[in-house]
Amino acid sequence: MVTNQNYFMLALQLLGSLGLLIYGMRMMSEALQKMAGPQLRHVLAKMTTNRLTGMLTGTLVTCAVQSSSATTVMTVSFVSAGLLTLAQAISIIMGANIGTTLTAWIMSVGYNVDLTTIVYPAFLVGMVLIYKKRHRYMGDLLFGLAFLFLSLVMLSSTGKSLDLAHNEAVVGFFASFDVSSHLTIFAFVAIGTLITCIVQSSAAVMAITILLCSTGVLPIYLGIALVMGENIGTTATANLVALGSNTQARRAALAHLLFNVFGVIWVLIVFYPFVNMVCGLVGYEIQAPLSSPEGDTIASVAKTTEAHSGAVGAALAMFHTCFNVINTSILIWLVPQLERVVCWILPEKQEGKQKEEFRLQYIHANLVQTPEISVLQAQKETAAFAQRVSKMFGLVRTLFHETDAKKFAEQFRQIEHEEDTTDKMEMEIARYLEQVSDDHLSDETKQKIRQMMREISELESIGDACYKLARTLDRKQESGKAFTKHQTDQLQILMALCDNALTQMQTVMHGHRSDHDIRDSFRIENDINQLRHRLKEENARAVNEHEYDYTVGTLYVDMINELEKLGDYVVNVIEARFGRY
């Protein structure tokens, strides 16, 4: 007989097993993402030419990383970054729902097969591979897989030790539910949704469901209702991630929720025939619902346990698969209609652009979920940073030609505002990269973070150079002095070279390194340096010969020096982009 103290220890074992299961799943998922690296991002970004390829991509990626949440978060991030359209994201999310059914099948096998002979060799090989740094991600993968299988062995053992089939109170509790009532089914769907939202792991809920059903105390109908709720609850992760993101990202997360809610609705309509059909596919015989805890209830439950403990996991996994495959088969043809629905529910906010400027476009603090993918967000934001400082230099060129005092003052204030914004952008991107770097990353990703740290520092220096140029022009405006025609012409030539350098920088930042030749940027920098050297010599001679006064000469040289520094900062950004230090 199991005492209360034993139940307490078994409950701790159960919770510990679930914790180990969640950790193993996470470890395995992160290891797979690190092994895939940039290829995973490229697959999601490129293999979405139509809704069918998008669905297939979502399925394959989720099977690869063993986490529908990871795939969905990646997809929401890509929509936020503008790499995927909403329609593409919806098709990928549908595929992710199919891919995640593989987890249920792994658990089903884990409950029916003794995996202890696999677990310990996996730990040994994993440890060896981790110490051999070249294959440490494969070692992490084996460790995660071993933890997953060990947790399933522990859960199965704990379930047998609990002996719930002979516990009259537990059997009576579940027997008190009328499984022939849709209201009961709906209540268990809600319970499954709530539990999944709380634990943030559909795998853990699936494991508990298989455990309860395999002991015979939880009727298969109620177990399947919990699985339906788990499908809705798992959408909470993407919706939480999208809360602080842009409208398109929130729409993608909402589409994920509507997809699963739609599936649950149509399954509830045909619930009993559909469940009977699915159970028939795996040869699971559904027992008559228990109506009371009296009589031979415990005996019948024990008999059910012995007869069906092997098939119940397969029945739940098969339902999960059929639910998602059929639901996707229906909705994959209605992607445009689903897109219109989410756009209607979440219309684009018509906020002032001035307010929008104070926010980063692609980075949101709550998107730091999958570090390997988060780097892409930072790359997009850094490219946007480069575009911003280029536009800032355009404002300086406009200020250089402005003669109206009022317009000059407005233009100068705008440049001041931009300089303040570039300072904030540098700090926010750096803070985000520090958050990402706190996690375990691949060597390639660590290298990219180092590069971006240097890039944002140099981009902020370009913003400072633009502000210093504007201040020099402001000093000239206050002094009432004017550049000579020759000085104006030469500064225009120098500014044009800097503008070419900035244009080249933007091209490199928005493209792939292999598509560009860094020597083009070096040639522009060399032209800037040579022109600066010649102009400074000309200025020294002109001041000595009193062609213009010393104040004008000083302002002129300040402009030349700052433009030359700006050219150096641009080259530093490009060198960082190419991995040169």
Side-chain angles (χ1 to χ4, degrees):
M1 182 177 178
V2 183
T3 65
N4 289 336
Q5 185 177 0
N6 287 340
Y7 271 128
F8 178 73
M9 293 304 301
L10 289 172
L12 289 180
Q13 289 179 27
L14 181 63
L15 292 173
S17 301
L18 288 174
L20 191 62
L21 171 70
I22 295 171
Y23 178 74
M25 289 291 295
R26 179 179 176 182
M27 190 175 186
M28 186 170 64
S29 175
E30 288 185 355
L32 285 163
Q33 290 179 56
K34 290 171 188 175
M35 290 169 65
Q39 289 75 22
L40 190 59
R41 300 195 288 268
H42 296 158
V43 165
L44 271 180
K46 293 183 177 180
M47 286 185 60
T48 52
T49 53
N50 57 61
R51 67 187 77 174
L52 292 177
T53 57
M55 180 200 68
L56 182 61
T57 301
T59 302
L60 294 177
V61 169
T62 305
C63 287
V65 302
Q66 276 301 289
S67 173
S68 61
S69 294
T71 305
T72 307
V73 168
M74 279 187 257
T75 305
V76 170
S77 301
F78 281 16
V79 173
S80 177
L83 294 177
L84 289 174
T85 65
L86 181 57
Q88 289 173 323
I90 292 172
S91 62
I92 291 174
I93 289 170
M94 288 180 179
N97 276 38
I98 296 176
T100 194
T101 61
L102 179 62
T103 304
W105 285 107
I106 292 174
M107 290 184 180
S108 174
V109 172
Y111 271 96
N112 298 322
V113 179
D114 185 5
L115 298 171
T116 51
T117 54
I118 302 174
V119 169
Y120 301 113
F123 276 127
L124 177 62
V125 176
M127 181 63 71
V128 173
L129 292 175
I130 287 173
Y131 274 101
K132 288 187 174 182
K133 292 187 176 181
R134 184 179 176 184
H135 303 291
R136 63 181 179 276
Y137 301 132
M138 179 60 74
D140 287 341
L141 173 62
L142 284 176
F143 251 70
L145 196 61
F147 279 133
L148 171 62
F149 287 156
L150 180 60
S151 68
L152 293 175
V153 171
M154 292 169 62
L155 281 170
S156 179
S157 174
T158 304
K160 292 174 183 177
S161 300
L162 283 169
D163 195 22
L164 296 178
H166 293 88
N167 188 308
E168 186 172 353
V170 175
V171 173
F173 172 75
F174 285 108
S176 65
F177 293 101
D178 183 8
V179 296
S180 63
S181 169
H182 274 83
L183 187 61
T184 301
I185 302 301
F186 182 80
F188 272 77
V189 170
I191 292 170
T193 301
L194 181 62
I195 295 174
T196 308
C197 288
I198 292 172
V199 301
Q200 286 288 291
S201 173
S202 58
V205 180
M206 177 62 78
I208 284 291
T209 305
I210 294 176
L211 173 64
L212 290 174
C213 287
S214 63
T215 60
V217 298
L218 182 67
I220 189 67
Y221 290 121
L222 301 186
I224 284 177
L226 288 177
V227 173
M228 291 164 63
E230 168 250 308
N231 274 272
I232 298 176
T234 195
T235 66
T237 303
N239 279 278
L240 287 173
V241 164
L243 279 178
S245 191
N246 58 29
T247 304
Q248 284 294 91
R250 292 199 300 273
R251 287 171 175 171
L254 178 60
H256 188 203
L257 174 61
L258 294 180
F259 171 83
N260 284 297
V261 169
F262 174 83
V264 168
I265 290 172
W266 71 255
V267 169
L268 284 175
I269 294 172
V270 294
F271 184 75
Y272 295 102
F274 185 73
V275 172
N276 294 338
M277 182 270 293
V278 169
C279 290
L281 292 176
V282 294
Y284 180 81
E285 183 181 348
I286 300 177
Q287 297 296 306
L290 299 172
S291 57
S292 69
E294 300 174 357
D296 64 343
T297 297
I298 293 179
S300 66
V301 169
K303 184 180 178 181
T304 301
T305 303
E306 295 174 1
H308 299 284
S309 60
V312 68
L316 291 169
M318 178 59 76
F319 171 82
H320 198 210
T321 302
C322 290
F323 170 83
N324 284 295
V325 169
I326 296 175
N327 201 30
T328 299
S329 300
I330 296 170
L331 288 180
I332 193 66
W333 311 109
L334 302 174
V335 169
Q337 288 76 15
L338 183 57
E339 184 179 10
R340 284 197 291 271
V341 169
V342 295
C343 289
W344 174 72
I345 296 174
L346 290 176
E348 195 74 49
K349 291 184 178 180
Q350 300 297 323
E351 297 179 355
K353 290 185 178 180
Q354 187 70 17
K355 185 178 179 181
E356 190 73 23
E357 291 177 353
F358 292 96
R359 289 186 59 184
L360 296 179
Q361 296 179 50
Y362 306 112
I363 286 177
H364 307 282
N366 59 340
L367 285 181
V368 185
Q369 298 280 337
T370 50
E372 298 287 332
I373 304 304
S374 297
V375 171
L376 181 68
Q377 303 298 109
Q379 286 178 327
K380 291 287 290 181
E381 199 65 66
T382 304
F385 194 0
Q387 189 173 13
R388 190 173 203 113
V389 295
S390 297
K391 289 181 179 179
M392 190 176 175
F393 183 70
L395 293 174
V396 172
R397 294 188 72 181
T398 303
L399 189 70
F400 179 72
H401 296 287
E402 189 57 66
T403 55
D404 183 89
K406 184 177 180 181
K407 290 183 179 179
F408 185 96
E410 290 177 356
Q411 199 83 14
F412 181 73
R413 282 195 298 271
Q414 188 175 353
I415 293 173
E416 279 186 318
H417 170 73
E418 287 295 320
E419 198 275 335
D420 182 60
T421 302
T422 57
D423 289 344
K424 291 177 181 177
M425 288 186 73
E426 180 198 16
M427 294 303 298
E428 290 189 31
I429 296 173
R431 192 179 299 115
Y432 181 80
L433 289 173
E434 286 173 355
Q435 282 182 290
V436 176
S437 62
D438 285 341
D439 215 317
H440 300 292
L441 304 169
S442 65
D443 292 336
E444 182 180 1
T445 302
K446 290 177 183 177
Q447 174 72 6
K448 286 181 179 178
I449 289 178
R450 286 193 294 270
Q451 291 174 9
M452 279 188 283
M453 282 291 195
R454 186 186 176 196
E455 287 171 18
I456 61 174
S457 175
E458 299 295 341
L459 287 169
E460 194 275 333
S461 296
I462 294 174
D464 286 344
C466 290
Y467 180 55
K468 289 176 182 177
L469 287 167
R471 286 179 58 189
T472 301
L473 292 172
D474 187 53
R475 292 200 333 261
K476 181 180 76 71
Q477 181 85 351
E478 290 178 352
S479 68
K481 303 290 184 179
F483 291 136
T484 66
K485 184 179 185 308
H486 177 73
Q487 287 176 319
T488 301
D489 291 342
Q490 295 305 308
L491 285 174
Q492 284 180 333
I493 293 172
L494 191 53
M495 284 184 175
L497 286 172
C498 289
D499 193 59
N500 289 341
L502 287 164
T503 301
Q504 178 69 15
M505 179 187 74
Q506 282 200 74
T507 303
V508 171
M509 294 292 285
H510 285 87
H512 297 289
R513 290 178 297 180
S514 57
D515 298 334
H516 306 284
D517 190 346
I518 195 172
R519 290 174 295 183
D520 293 338
S521 297
F522 287 148
R523 281 191 287 268
I524 297 174
E525 185 202 19
N526 185 55
D527 291 341
I528 292 173
N529 290 339
Q530 288 183 359
L531 182 57
R532 177 209 57 175
H533 183 69
R534 178 172 64 81
L535 294 181
K536 289 182 73 172
E537 287 184 346
E538 288 180 358
N539 179 71
R541 178 190 55 77
V543 170
N544 288 334
E545 295 179 0
H546 304 290
E547 292 182 13
Y548 41 80
D549 63 29
Y550 182 79
T551 301
V552 174
T554 301
L555 293 170
Y556 183 51
V557 170
D558 286 347
M559 291 286 292
I560 293 169
N561 286 336
E562 212 55 58
L563 286 167
E564 190 273 334
K565 288 180 184 177
L566 189 148
D568 288 342
Y569 298 142
V570 170
V571 170
N572 291 343
V573 172
I574 294 174
E575 282 184 334
R577 187 69 168 177
F578 276 83
R580 298 189 181 186
Y581 296 95

mmCIF file of all heavy atoms in Angstrom, residues 163-180:
data_model
loop_
_atom_site.group_PDB
_atom_site.id
_atom_site.type_symbol
_atom_site.label_atom_id
_atom_site.label_comp_id
_atom_site.label_asym_id
_atom_site.label_seq_id
_atom_site.Cartn_x
_atom_site.Cartn_y
_atom_site.Cartn_z
ATOM 1 N N ASP A 163 0.685 3.577 -8.749
ATOM 2 C CA ASP A 163 -0.370 2.547 -8.735
ATOM 3 C C ASP A 163 -1.756 3.179 -8.653
ATOM 4 O O ASP A 163 -2.600 2.782 -7.837
ATOM 5 C CB ASP A 163 -0.148 1.594 -7.552
ATOM 6 C CG ASP A 163 -0.970 0.303 -7.698
ATOM 7 O OD1 ASP A 163 -1.336 -0.023 -8.852
ATOM 8 O OD2 ASP A 163 -1.245 -0.339 -6.679
ATOM 9 N N LEU A 164 -1.980 4.179 -9.487
ATOM 10 C CA LEU A 164 -3.242 4.919 -9.459
ATOM 11 C C LEU A 164 -4.438 4.031 -9.805
ATOM 12 O O LEU A 164 -5.570 4.315 -9.407
ATOM 13 C CB LEU A 164 -3.177 6.103 -10.418
ATOM 14 C CG LEU A 164 -2.150 7.188 -10.067
ATOM 15 C CD1 LEU A 164 -2.166 8.284 -11.131
ATOM 16 C CD2 LEU A 164 -2.429 7.782 -8.699
ATOM 17 N N ALA A 165 -4.191 2.957 -10.566
ATOM 18 C CA ALA A 165 -5.291 2.073 -10.963
ATOM 19 C C ALA A 165 -5.945 1.396 -9.765
ATOM 20 O O ALA A 165 -7.089 0.943 -9.852
ATOM 21 C CB ALA A 165 -4.785 1.009 -11.941
ATOM 22 N N HIS A 166 -5.220 1.324 -8.630
ATOM 23 C CA HIS A 166 -5.776 0.692 -7.431
ATOM 24 C C HIS A 166 -6.073 1.713 -6.342
ATOM 25 O O HIS A 166 -6.269 1.343 -5.178
ATOM 26 C CB HIS A 166 -4.823 -0.381 -6.890
ATOM 27 C CG HIS A 166 -4.683 -1.557 -7.799
ATOM 28 N ND1 HIS A 166 -3.744 -1.601 -8.808
ATOM 29 C CD2 HIS A 166 -5.379 -2.729 -7.870
ATOM 30 C CE1 HIS A 166 -3.842 -2.753 -9.456
ATOM 31 N NE2 HIS A 166 -4.838 -3.462 -8.905
ATOM 32 N N ASN A 167 -6.053 3.004 -6.714
ATOM 33 C CA ASN A 167 -6.373 4.055 -5.752
ATOM 34 C C ASN A 167 -7.825 4.470 -5.946
ATOM 35 O O ASN A 167 -8.184 5.106 -6.935
ATOM 36 C CB ASN A 167 -5.445 5.263 -5.966
ATOM 37 C CG ASN A 167 -5.602 6.313 -4.883
ATOM 38 O OD1 ASN A 167 -6.712 6.767 -4.586
ATOM 39 N ND2 ASN A 167 -4.474 6.716 -4.285
ATOM 40 N N GLU A 168 -8.666 4.078 -5.000
ATOM 41 C CA GLU A 168 -10.105 4.286 -5.157
ATOM 42 C C GLU A 168 -10.470 5.767 -5.266
ATOM 43 O O GLU A 168 -11.353 6.147 -6.035
ATOM 44 C CB GLU A 168 -10.855 3.652 -3.974
ATOM 45 C CG GLU A 168 -12.368 3.698 -4.139
ATOM 46 C CD GLU A 168 -13.090 2.900 -3.073
ATOM 47 O OE1 GLU A 168 -12.408 2.204 -2.290
ATOM 48 O OE2 GLU A 168 -14.326 2.976 -3.034
ATOM 49 N N ALA A 169 -9.746 6.637 -4.521
ATOM 50 C CA ALA A 169 -10.062 8.065 -4.534
ATOM 51 C C ALA A 169 -9.789 8.675 -5.910
ATOM 52 O O ALA A 169 -10.606 9.433 -6.458
ATOM 53 C CB ALA A 169 -9.252 8.796 -3.458
ATOM 54 N N VAL A 170 -8.625 8.325 -6.493
ATOM 55 C CA VAL A 170 -8.259 8.874 -7.799
ATOM 56 C C VAL A 170 -9.177 8.346 -8.886
ATOM 57 O O VAL A 170 -9.678 9.092 -9.737
ATOM 58 C CB VAL A 170 -6.779 8.554 -8.130
ATOM 59 C CG1 VAL A 170 -6.435 9.023 -9.550
ATOM 60 C CG2 VAL A 170 -5.848 9.214 -7.123
ATOM 61 N N VAL A 171 -9.405 7.028 -8.856
ATOM 62 C CA VAL A 171 -10.298 6.421 -9.844
ATOM 63 C C VAL A 171 -11.691 7.017 -9.741
ATOM 64 O O VAL A 171 -12.346 7.333 -10.744
ATOM 65 C CB VAL A 171 -10.352 4.888 -9.655
ATOM 66 C CG1 VAL A 171 -11.415 4.283 -10.574
ATOM 67 C CG2 VAL A 171 -8.996 4.265 -9.941
ATOM 68 N N GLY A 172 -12.150 7.201 -8.508
ATOM 69 C CA GLY A 172 -13.474 7.771 -8.300
ATOM 70 C C GLY A 172 -13.574 9.196 -8.803
ATOM 71 O O GLY A 172 -14.609 9.608 -9.357
ATOM 72 N N PHE A 173 -12.491 9.958 -8.610
ATOM 73 C CA PHE A 173 -12.502 11.357 -9.058
ATOM 74 C C PHE A 173 -12.698 11.438 -10.570
ATOM 75 O O PHE A 173 -13.574 12.155 -11.066
ATOM 76 C CB PHE A 173 -11.201 12.040 -8.646
ATOM 77 C CG PHE A 173 -11.037 13.414 -9.216
ATOM 78 C CD1 PHE A 173 -11.754 14.493 -8.706
ATOM 79 C CD2 PHE A 173 -10.175 13.639 -10.296
ATOM 80 C CE1 PHE A 173 -11.607 15.766 -9.260
ATOM 81 C CE2 PHE A 173 -10.030 14.894 -10.837
ATOM 82 C CZ PHE A 173 -10.746 15.973 -10.322
ATOM 83 N N PHE A 174 -11.893 10.696 -11.326
ATOM 84 C CA PHE A 174 -11.996 10.768 -12.788
ATOM 85 C C PHE A 174 -13.269 10.085 -13.297
ATOM 86 O O PHE A 174 -13.815 10.462 -14.332
ATOM 87 C CB PHE A 174 -10.760 10.146 -13.446
ATOM 88 C CG PHE A 174 -9.552 11.021 -13.365
ATOM 89 C CD1 PHE A 174 -8.488 10.707 -12.525
ATOM 90 C CD2 PHE A 174 -9.454 12.185 -14.124
ATOM 91 C CE1 PHE A 174 -7.368 11.509 -12.443
ATOM 92 C CE2 PHE A 174 -8.355 13.000 -14.052
ATOM 93 C CZ PHE A 174 -7.298 12.669 -13.208
ATOM 94 N N ALA A 175 -13.756 9.069 -12.536
ATOM 95 C CA ALA A 175 -14.978 8.389 -12.947
ATOM 96 C C ALA A 175 -16.205 9.266 -12.752
ATOM 97 O O ALA A 175 -17.260 9.034 -13.354
ATOM 98 C CB ALA A 175 -15.137 7.087 -12.159
ATOM 99 N N SER A 176 -16.048 10.309 -11.930
ATOM 100 C CA SER A 176 -17.186 11.197 -11.670
ATOM 101 C C SER A 176 -17.484 12.109 -12.858
ATOM 102 O O SER A 176 -18.548 12.725 -12.909
ATOM 103 C CB SER A 176 -16.908 12.057 -10.427
ATOM 104 O OG SER A 176 -15.817 12.938 -10.657
ATOM 105 N N PHE A 177 -16.557 12.189 -13.813
ATOM 106 C CA PHE A 177 -16.784 13.018 -14.998
ATOM 107 C C PHE A 177 -17.556 12.232 -16.050
ATOM 108 O O PHE A 177 -17.246 11.064 -16.324
ATOM 109 C CB PHE A 177 -15.461 13.502 -15.595
ATOM 110 C CG PHE A 177 -14.713 14.460 -14.711
ATOM 111 C CD1 PHE A 177 -13.633 14.026 -13.940
ATOM 112 C CD2 PHE A 177 -15.092 15.797 -14.643
ATOM 113 C CE1 PHE A 177 -12.947 14.903 -13.122
ATOM 114 C CE2 PHE A 177 -14.400 16.684 -13.824
ATOM 115 C CZ PHE A 177 -13.333 16.238 -13.062
ATOM 116 N N ASP A 178 -18.532 12.876 -16.605
ATOM 117 C CA ASP A 178 -19.345 12.258 -17.660
ATOM 118 C C ASP A 178 -18.645 12.459 -18.998
ATOM 119 O O ASP A 178 -18.731 13.522 -19.618
ATOM 120 C CB ASP A 178 -20.740 12.895 -17.679
ATOM 121 C CG ASP A 178 -21.652 12.245 -18.721
ATOM 122 O OD1 ASP A 178 -21.244 11.217 -19.311
ATOM 123 O OD2 ASP A 178 -22.752 12.781 -18.950
ATOM 124 N N VAL A 179 -17.916 11.434 -19.450
ATOM 125 C CA VAL A 179 -17.133 11.572 -20.684
ATOM 126 C C VAL A 179 -18.014 11.617 -21.931
ATOM 127 O O VAL A 179 -17.532 11.905 -23.026
ATOM 128 C CB VAL A 179 -16.114 10.417 -20.808
ATOM 129 C CG1 VAL A 179 -15.085 10.470 -19.700
ATOM 130 C CG2 VAL A 179 -16.817 9.072 -20.834
ATOM 131 N N SER A 180 -19.279 11.326 -21.780
ATOM 132 C CA SER A 180 -20.188 11.408 -22.934
ATOM 133 C C SER A 180 -20.748 12.819 -23.120
ATOM 134 O O SER A 180 -21.488 13.075 -24.071
ATOM 135 C CB SER A 180 -21.343 10.418 -22.774
ATOM 136 O OG SER A 180 -22.115 10.755 -21.620
#
